[in-house]
Amino acid sequence: MKITAIRSHVLQCDMPEELGYSQQFYAKRTAHLVEVSTDEGLTGWGECFGPGNVALANKTIVERVIAPMVIGMDPLDRDVIWHKVYNLLRDHGQKGMPIQSLSGVDIALWDIAGKAVGLPIHKLIGGAHRTGVTAYGYGMMLKRESVDDHIARFTDEAAAIIGMGFSATKMKTGLGPKADVRLCEAVARGVGEARFMVDANHCYTTSDAFYVGRALEELGAYWFEEPIAPEDLDGYRELRAGLRVNISGGEAEFTRWGWRQILENRGIDIAQPEVCALGGITEYLRVLALAHAHFTPVINHVWGSAIAVATNLQLLAAMPPMPGGLNPWEPMLEFDTTENRFRDHLLTEPLDIQAQVARNGGRVAIPTAPGLGVEPDLAFIKKYAIQ
Ligand code: CA
């Protein structure tokens, strides 16, 4: 089999309302899908992490830089292709957009590999350790409104997300340390007995992160995500040693070499690798092995369209229990509860995660069809493609 073409589809639409996190507000939803075609008629789909204009730049990297390197190669030679691209791009970016772009291509190659033998990706990896996974719902995004309005809304939204059937929920912070503690108190009130997590998107200094983190200890938050800049490895180590709340992070890290530093540094309790950014499934499996070699549990970062969600469902199925037992620690599926038509309406047969969560006590089934187990609707892609 030979790769005959690699195309990128950047989908974009206006969101029903502007939303924000600690770094910025955004009003457009973007998804960057990669389509790999072969001479045997099999087509694979992948997704690259990166919103807005980043997706347009990544599209250029996929189509103008990576595609010429791999067209004509056997799509089943995933590891050979990965290393050819990485080695040729090493001088131009060992992290960031080149690796995000490679990720989408690699995921599509795994989709093809599954379709070629009629097996879902989790079977290619080594089988399903679980047939379903519990989802947590994130929401509670920032808006251009007062602190008091945020507080009232966050309490209501936390209760609503738990009411939808999600086992846990995750909020954003970013109004400033003092206001953020009040937001966290509001969410703790809203969730009742359910778990909640806090995502700062690296907006704090280490001392401010200690201030917020001490409040989270009292409130019983399950994890404190990206409290400080991902480059600040010393700060992560100090926070993890000094706080009684799980420190999580890693969504902005790339490849086994970036993850090696994070894990050896001992600064996170929970690793959150992003398969659509860190180098695709091929590299994710190496990062997972590295995380487990450090006895660091993994809960994948999930962002994007139904292709990204399906990719993560395959990986969550194939994630070994660590450390295992009668009642083992289990990963969760991250799920964005805000409107996302590229996730909910992209597929010919939608995953319909929200309905599964409501019906099955927060559980989502792992797709068992070949490859990713899902197929995008080409007419839908055409309707929303901006390039
Ligand atoms: Ca995050």
Side-chain angles (χ1 to χ4, degrees):
M1 190 162 32
K2 284 189 166 51
I3 297 170
T4 52
I6 301 181
R7 278 182 290 268
S8 268
H9 307 273
V10 176
L11 316 186
Q12 198 167 70
C13 66
D14 291 325
M15 294 177 7
E17 60 175 341
E18 184 187 60
L19 295 173
Y21 59 105
S22 67
Q23 302 301 320
Q24 63 182 329
F25 290 98
Y26 56 101
K28 285 186 188 300
R29 178 79 67 193
T30 316
H32 177 187
L33 307 182
V34 176
E35 177 184 15
V36 176
S37 309
T38 66
D39 62 351
E40 294 189 10
L42 289 178
T43 299
W45 291 91
E47 179 158 356
C48 303
F49 179 81
N53 293 334
V54 172
L56 296 177
N58 282 345
K59 175 186 167 75
T60 303
I61 297 174
V62 169
E63 292 186 339
R64 306 290 289 273
V65 181
I66 296 176
M69 295 175 184
V70 300
I71 284 175
M73 292 180 77
D74 184 339
L76 300 182
D77 291 348
R78 304 182 287 286
D79 195 56
V80 177
I81 290 172
W82 197 96
H83 284 90
K84 179 177 183 182
V85 173
Y86 184 82
N87 289 341
L88 286 171
L89 290 179
R90 177 180 278 123
D91 293 8
H92 313 286
Q94 300 146 23
K95 298 189 181 194
M97 289 153 68
I99 308 300
Q100 291 172 350
S101 301
L102 173 57
S103 301
V105 174
D106 178 81
I107 293 167
L109 298 181
W110 277 84
D111 192 25
I112 290 170
K115 288 169 174 168
V117 292
L119 294 171
I121 287 170
H122 65 256
K123 277 283 187 202
L124 301 188
I125 295 171
H129 291 278
R130 53 194 66 77
T131 56
V133 66
T134 300
Y136 75 87
Y138 88 76
M140 292 164 281
M141 311 293 292
L142 304 185
K143 293 185 186 176
R144 294 183 204 269
E145 63 186 16
S146 69
V147 173
D148 285 341
D149 285 347
H150 273 93
I151 287 170
R153 180 167 60 82
F154 274 32
T155 300
D156 292 346
E157 228 179 297
I161 291 170
I162 298 303
M164 291 174 203
F166 289 100
S167 63
T169 187
K170 190 167 83 183
M171 61 182 289
K172 295 293 190 189
T173 58
L175 302 182
K178 279 211 159 66
D180 288 343
V181 169
R182 294 177 65 203
L183 282 185
C184 297
E185 291 166 349
V187 169
R189 282 195 297 276
V191 295
E193 295 299 304
R195 271 180 177 171
F196 77 100
M197 292 80 83
V198 178
D199 188 357
N201 291 102
H202 49 74
C203 67
Y204 300 125
T205 62
T206 302
S207 63
D208 285 347
F210 268 111
Y211 172 82
V212 175
R214 295 214 163 98
L216 296 183
E217 292 176 343
E218 298 305 314
L219 294 169
Y222 183 49
W223 77 59
F224 190 12
E225 179 170 327
E226 285 200 300
I228 55 175
E231 309 94 301
D232 185 6
L233 296 182
D234 293 338
Y236 273 92
R237 197 170 55 244
E238 289 161 12
L239 288 170
R240 186 181 181 218
L243 288 174
R244 286 178 291 111
V245 58
N246 289 313
I247 303 297
S248 72
E251 66 182 75
E253 193 49 84
F254 298 84
T255 76
R256 76 201 86 155
W257 299 289
W259 274 96
R260 173 187 168 190
Q261 286 188 305
I262 288 187
L263 291 161
E264 288 180 348
N265 179 63
R266 308 295 296 165
I268 53 171
D269 295 284
I270 296 170
Q272 297 172 300
E274 168 51 71
V275 64
C276 299
L278 67 76
I281 293 173
T282 299
E283 194 64 6
Y284 168 93
L285 294 174
R286 292 192 261 262
V287 169
L288 176 69
L290 207 49
H292 282 186
H294 288 82
F295 289 94
T296 302
V298 173
I299 296 186
N300 298 351
H301 178 260
V302 184
W303 181 93
S305 84
I307 296 296
V309 174
T311 303
N312 278 284
L313 284 171
Q314 295 295 333
L315 296 176
L316 289 167
M319 185 188 294
M322 200 285 299
L326 280 177
N327 297 291
W329 185 94
E330 281 285 298
M332 292 189 280
L333 172 69
E334 175 169 15
F335 187 83
D336 176 358
T337 61
T338 65
E339 194 270 350
N340 184 349
R341 72 196 68 177
F342 300 149
R343 183 193 59 217
D344 295 344
H345 305 297
L346 171 70
L347 303 177
T348 52
E349 288 179 46
L351 292 165
D352 214 358
I353 304 255
Q354 296 92 324
Q356 290 196 55
V357 164
R359 204 171 48 229
N360 301 331
R363 301 280 290 176
V364 179
I366 307 299
T368 54
L372 292 172
V374 298
E375 279 301 319
D377 177 346
L378 299 180
F380 182 92
I381 289 176
K382 203 167 174 191
K383 179 177 172 191
Y384 286 102
I386 54 169
Q387 285 215 20

